[in-house]
């Protein structure tokens, strides 16, 4: 079935025999932002210490209705719905099917009002809590780095939050060690990762900066290389507001990443 309203974990809500009435809360809003402040001296109000902020979770609500064929059918359909929505949900809206948000079902409030023995429309709402309030690309972006010691721009988007879900794939043949260098648009070095690992042309290394893993693949088999990371270095934390670039000193690479959006 084509997506006409919303889907949860790839299943359109219509597949549960629901009619979505409207997105009741949280869909095109900006969750509350929290800034570090100190009181103003001899004045009312506060001073914001930094433009950096944290955000509250996003709460999404959906209103729905459906007409069951019997009281038992009503209970069965609700049980099936709530059972299917257990665990983390990938939430997609037809408004922009290229973006998704991650949430958990925290409430379901059906209205069981009846009129005598008649089976009425059942109306209710679903509450989905998104601990991470941002929306992300459904399909990752990719940028190739084909020349060594050459800064390559990463068009990250504009969300004021660090991009955690980035994977750097190192290809080619090189001798240990290999270094990736993150810079801002002005060319200032922000961070670097040096890994004591070598590779042949048939091997590659994946650095997953969300899962905090380093894996070398040879002949389809992966080997953990986390201990190869230089002890004074860390996984890349990329802030889109830096308009960042990335370069490597050996081989070639592909950067896979998911841009983030506030709405």
């Amino acid at each position: 079935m084509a997506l006409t309203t919303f889907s949860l974990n790839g299943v359109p809500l219509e597949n549960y025999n629901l009619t979505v009435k409207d997105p009741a809360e949280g869909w095109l809003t900006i969750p509350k932002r929290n800034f570090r402040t100190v009181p103003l001296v001899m004045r009312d109000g506060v001073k914001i210490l930094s433009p950096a902020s944290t955000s509250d979770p996003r709460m999404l609500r959906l209103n729905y209705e459906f007409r069951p064929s019997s009281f038992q059918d009503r209970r069965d359909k609700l049980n099936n719905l709530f059972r299917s929505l257990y665990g983390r949900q990938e939430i997609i809206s037809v408004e922009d099917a290229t973006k998704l948000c991650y949430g958990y079902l925290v409430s379901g409030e059906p209205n069981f009002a009846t009129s005598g023995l008649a089976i009425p429309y059942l109306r209710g709402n679903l509450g989905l809590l998104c601990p991470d309030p941002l929306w992300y690309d459904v399909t990752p972006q990719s940028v190739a780095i084909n020349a060594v010691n050459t800064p390559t721009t990463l068009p990250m988007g504009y969300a004021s939050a660090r991009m955690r879900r980035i994977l750097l794939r190192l290809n080619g043949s090189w001798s240990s060690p290999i270094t990736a260098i993150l810079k801002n648009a002005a060319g200032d070095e922000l961070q670097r990762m040096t890994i004591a690992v070598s590779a042949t042309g048939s091997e590659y290394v994946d650095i997953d900066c969300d899962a905090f893993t380093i894996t070398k693949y040879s002949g389809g088999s992966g080997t953990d290389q986390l201990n190869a990371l230089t002890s004074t270095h860390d996984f890349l934390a990329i802030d889109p507001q830096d308009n960042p670039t990335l370069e490597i000193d050996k081989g070639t690479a592909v950067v896979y990443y998911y841009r983030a959006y506030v709405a």
Side-chain angles (χ1 to χ4, degrees):
M1 177 182 292
L3 179 62
T4 58
T5 53
F6 305 92
S7 71
L8 302 176
N9 277 354
V11 180
L13 286 179
E14 291 83 357
N15 284 20
Y16 297 105
N17 298 306
L18 302 181
T19 299
V20 178
K21 301 304 295 181
D22 60 79
E25 178 185 339
W27 293 92
L28 294 177
T29 61
I30 297 177
K32 179 183 175 183
R33 290 179 172 174
N34 305 295
F35 297 88
R36 292 181 59 202
T37 62
V38 294
L40 290 171
V41 178
M42 303 299 292
R43 292 174 54 192
D44 293 332
V46 297
K47 176 181 176 59
I48 293 178
L49 296 178
S50 168
S53 65
T54 59
S55 295
D56 287 351
R58 183 185 297 273
M59 188 67 191
L60 300 175
R61 291 191 183 278
L62 279 172
N63 292 329
Y64 66 87
E65 69 177 31
F66 75 90
R67 181 183 289 275
S69 60
S70 67
F71 288 106
Q72 183 65 48
D73 183 53
R74 181 172 69 182
R75 174 181 288 273
D76 291 344
K77 282 186 169 59
L78 285 177
N79 277 332
N80 178 59
L81 173 65
F82 296 146
R83 182 174 59 250
S84 299
L85 300 186
Y86 179 81
R88 191 177 80 160
Q89 303 294 312
E90 292 185 353
I91 305 165
I92 298 177
S93 165
V94 72
E95 288 180 321
D96 192 342
T98 66
K99 301 174 186 175
L100 60 80
C101 193
Y102 298 94
Y104 296 83
L105 180 68
V106 294
S107 65
E109 301 175 2
N111 179 358
F112 292 103
T114 62
S115 176
L117 296 179
I119 307 298
Y121 278 108
L122 186 148
R123 295 180 174 88
N125 68 73
L126 301 175
L128 296 150
L129 178 68
C130 304
D132 180 346
L134 297 178
W135 296 83
Y136 291 93
D137 288 322
V138 172
T139 303
Q141 304 292 305
S142 63
V143 173
I145 303 177
N146 296 319
V148 299
N149 300 316
T150 303
T152 300
T153 300
L154 305 180
M156 302 298 299
Y158 300 100
S160 57
R162 286 190 170 183
M163 307 279 86
R164 295 176 294 105
R165 300 189 301 123
I166 290 180
L167 185 141
L168 175 62
R169 176 163 295 174
L170 304 175
N171 301 303
S173 178
W174 71 85
S175 57
S176 175
I178 186 170
T179 299
I181 303 173
L182 180 69
K183 296 180 179 179
N184 62 20
D188 303 318
E189 183 173 323
L190 302 173
Q191 194 179 353
R192 66 171 54 202
M193 290 186 73
T194 298
I195 305 169
V197 64
S198 60
T200 65
S202 62
E203 299 173 324
Y204 64 93
V205 174
D206 276 353
I207 303 171
D208 191 327
C209 295
D210 183 40
F212 303 107
T213 59
I214 302 174
T215 309
K216 179 178 177 180
Y217 290 91
S218 180
S221 178
T223 304
D224 178 33
Q225 299 290 325
L226 184 59
N227 291 335
L229 176 63
T230 298
S231 60
T232 56
H233 294 179
D234 203 349
F235 288 88
L236 300 176
I238 299 180
D239 190 332
Q241 297 181 101
D242 291 324
N243 295 313
T245 66
L246 190 64
E247 62 186 88
I248 55 174
D249 67 343
K250 296 175 182 178
T252 62
V254 180
V255 184
Y256 298 94
Y257 61 92
Y258 297 82
R259 295 170 298 180
Y261 308 85
V262 175

